[in-house]
Amino acid sequence: MSKNYRILDLIRRGRTPLENHLIDGLIDGRISRREFVRHGSLLGLSLPLLGRIGMAAGFGAAPSLARAGAPGATIRVGSSVPAAAIDPVTIADAGGLLVMQQVAEFLCVDGPDLVLKPALAESWSPNTDGTVWTFKLRKGVKFHSGGEMKAEDVVASIDRLADPANSSNALSVFSGILQKGATKKVDDYTVEFHLDAPNGNFPYMVSSDNYNAVIIPASYKGGYEQSFDGTGPFKLEKYTPKVGASFVRNDDYWGDKALPDRTEFTFFTDIQPQILALQGGQIDIINQMPVLAGVAVLNDPNVDVISLKSSAHQQLHMHCDEGPTKDARVRRAIALCLDREKLAAGLMKGRSALGNDSPFAPVYPSTDTSVPQRKQDIAQAKQLMEAAGAGKGFKMTLTTERYLEIPEYAQLIQNWVKEIGIELELNILDQSAYYGDAVFGKSNWLDSAMGITDYGHRGVPNVYLAAPLKSDGTWNAAHFKNKDYDQMAASYIAALDLEAQKATAGKIQKLLLEETPVIFGYFYDYLTAMAKGVTGVQPTAMSQLFLEKASKA
């Protein structure tokens, strides 16, 4: 299709310089349509407007949505057991956040394509430098308890999460970004977020990407399991800790009413009973299925699998300040031992993307794909070991968690590094023993000289860039301290423009290849299994499950 410059000129009027620069990037071919839609949604441009711009720029109409299924079903889900009491402030596990998300909603939702879609907020926009973001709230939204959701509820919900006194799980997102008291009510339906520093990706911090950031009444004082109060398309019918939960349609919902009459959640302590329940017809959906444990399901003709590309990964950290991995050449040598193609094809059965030893996953539009992919090179690894004075090898302990494919991944690494004289002893712990208190000095995760840790999906790399890699990062298990890196990470986080993000991302990717404090071997797909005939289910790689459009044949 040809470009319609008359319509483009009309659309440009009243747009900010930042928005017009993004439109220029699409027209000139500097960015793809996918990147344009995703970044435009981040800046607060509506999806219909982004579609009109795409058509005027010669890209044709966006694909139409699938037809809705039949109403009235009961959708049955198998999931992991919530690890603790369900509370929006502290919840940190997949089972708990899945249940909470059935009743409570976010200002915006990060979809599987990483495009932000309006939910409780209708629109948002930054000031010129990205230090203040203004959100316009949807009117007429009611909590299940009856009151209307307004700005004071948003302020109170986010202030709870940003307050260090509450030990909020969301402090990993908000620390250094948003303080308690910096979320301000402008009027009943307008909220401003005044940030500690410029942040070009901030809307993701208050979206479903930050699973704690659900909006609940300002009056909330705790005891969420007694009320499950929210604004969502379902409301609580029954919750039994360690056993399960059920929900019914909320007929006062602000949006399209949910198709299912009911949803039921059964909690399981292991994946194999979930697989048997799915194959036996006791449940319709397994929320998350690991690749190795689920091989039988992947090949079952009676099961459909939704596979989402994600940024979820298993980080291999190495101490940068002591021991044999203090020398960056040794760390690079270890990284060069990994056969990433075999990891993706063998261990992950083709359900992953190659990692290149930085948090910039292929799924991110800001990833610089011109940076060469690191490949296995044993000869070069041996040369680096000799140059570092470690040619005779050494012994070391690799500590990790018993979760998903991590134990098998550890064994592969153990075998590969033998070729350069490194003898690894594996110390594989259950998750509670591995994470400990999750603070330095009281955690096998943070205190081990070498360890593998699972990191769940994020729609933008900000948390990965800061917590495990910045000099003052709360999860810096590698003890990596590099002023150049800290400045680059701050520049990336501040950038509002996609091309500026890409330019800084390339510098970060090259620096981390040189330093290699952490090995990112692969980014795994998020898999959800469903019985044939179940449609309209929308999982996210954050372990959420949107069921309002679900139906059964």
Side-chain angles (χ1 to χ4, degrees), residues 389-406:
K392 293 182 180 178
F394 52 83
K395 293 182 179 180
M396 198 167 181
T397 299
L398 168 57
T399 303
T400 190
E401 55 181 317
R402 190 172 284 104
Y403 182 65
L404 299 177
E405 295 80 21
I406 291 179

Side-chain angles (χ1 to χ4, degrees), residues 327-373:
D327 193 311
R329 292 169 294 189
V330 172
R331 302 194 297 270
R332 290 202 300 275
I334 293 170
L336 286 165
C337 290
L338 273 64
D339 187 331
R340 293 160 204 253
E341 284 82 5
K342 278 188 178 175
L343 278 176
L347 179 68
M348 302 309 296
K349 310 300 180 193
R351 304 277 183 163
S352 69
L354 300 188
N356 203 25
D357 297 338
S358 88
F360 286 98
V363 73
Y364 290 138
S366 56
T367 297
D368 185 346
T369 54
S370 71
V371 176
Q373 171 66 49

Side-chain angles (χ1 to χ4, degrees), residues 102-103 105 141-145 230-236 247-258 260-261:
Q102 299 308 307
V103 295
E105 295 182 294
V141 175
K142 290 186 177 179
F143 288 109
H144 299 161
S145 55
T231 59
F234 298 101
K235 54 187 181 181
L236 182 71
F247 303 89
V248 295
R249 182 191 298 114
N250 173 19
D251 289 325
D252 290 326
Y253 186 55
W254 57 265
D256 294 337
K257 304 301 180 281
D261 285 342

Side-chain angles (χ1 to χ4, degrees), residues 184-394:
K184 301 182 185 298
K185 172 183 172 180
V186 177
D187 57 43
D188 280 350
Y189 303 103
T190 309
V191 174
E192 286 180 350
F193 297 96
H194 292 254
L195 310 185
D196 292 357
N199 193 303
N201 285 330
F202 177 73
Y204 283 90
M205 313 294 120
V206 288
S207 77
S208 55
D209 206 59
N210 178 3
Y211 48 77
N212 295 94
V214 293
I215 305 305
I216 55 177
S219 58
Y220 176 69
K221 300 290 188 223
Y224 194 72
E225 288 182 353
Q226 277 66 59
S227 70
F228 277 90
D229 200 4
T231 59
F234 298 101
K235 54 187 181 181
L236 182 71
E237 181 182 64
K238 184 181 181 183
Y239 176 68
T240 306
K242 308 295 185 186
V243 178
S246 59
F247 303 89
V248 295
R249 182 191 298 114
N250 173 19
D251 289 325
D252 290 326
Y253 186 55
W254 57 265
D256 294 337
K257 304 301 180 281
L259 288 180
D261 285 342
R262 296 177 74 253
T263 59
E264 296 176 354
F265 292 75
T266 303
F267 303 145
F268 293 85
T269 55
D270 193 22
I271 187 64
Q272 291 303 331
Q274 291 187 58
I275 291 172
L276 292 173
L278 179 68
Q279 293 177 323
Q282 285 88 44
I283 61 174
D284 304 308
I285 302 168
I286 297 175
N287 188 39
Q288 183 181 13
M289 191 179 64
V291 170
L292 289 183
V295 168
V297 173
L298 293 174
N299 299 316
D300 188 332
N302 297 312
V303 175
D304 289 325
V305 176
I306 298 176
S307 184
L308 300 180
K309 294 295 177 188
S310 87
S311 59
H313 58 275
Q314 329 282 7
Q315 290 192 14
L316 171 64
H317 72 259
M318 297 169 281
H319 274 178
C320 300
D321 59 346
E322 61 186 358
T325 57
K326 182 177 181 179
D327 193 311
R329 292 169 294 189
V330 172
R331 302 194 297 270
R332 290 202 300 275
I334 293 170
L336 286 165
C337 290
L338 273 64
D339 187 331
R340 293 160 204 253
E341 284 82 5
K342 278 188 178 175
L343 278 176
L347 179 68
M348 302 309 296
K349 310 300 180 193
R351 304 277 183 163
S352 69
L354 300 188
N356 203 25
D357 297 338
S358 88
F360 286 98
V363 73
Y364 290 138
S366 56
T367 297
D368 185 346
T369 54
S370 71
V371 176
Q373 171 66 49
R374 178 172 269 165
K375 297 178 184 289
Q376 187 182 51
D377 190 335
I378 300 299
Q380 188 186 350
K382 288 178 177 177
Q383 290 172 6
L384 286 167
M385 291 285 283
E386 289 288 349
K392 293 182 180 178
F394 52 83

Side-chain angles (χ1 to χ4, degrees), residues 383-454:
Q383 290 172 6
L384 286 167
M385 291 285 283
E386 289 288 349
K392 293 182 180 178
F394 52 83
K395 293 182 179 180
M396 198 167 181
T397 299
L398 168 57
T399 303
T400 190
E401 55 181 317
R402 190 172 284 104
Y403 182 65
L404 299 177
E405 295 80 21
I406 291 179
E408 291 81 7
Y409 182 32
Q411 289 166 7
L412 287 169
I413 294 167
Q414 181 187 44
N415 288 332
W416 280 325
V417 299
K418 282 179 184 174
E419 296 197 53
I420 60 170
I422 298 176
E423 191 177 321
L424 282 186
E425 180 181 340
L426 301 185
N427 181 26
I428 300 174
L429 307 170
D430 64 45
Q431 285 192 292
S432 60
Y434 180 68
Y435 288 101
D437 291 343
V439 293
F440 291 101
K442 296 182 178 180
S443 169
N444 283 295
W445 160 36
L446 294 173
D447 300 331
S448 56
M450 179 186 284
I452 304 176
T453 309
D454 181 72

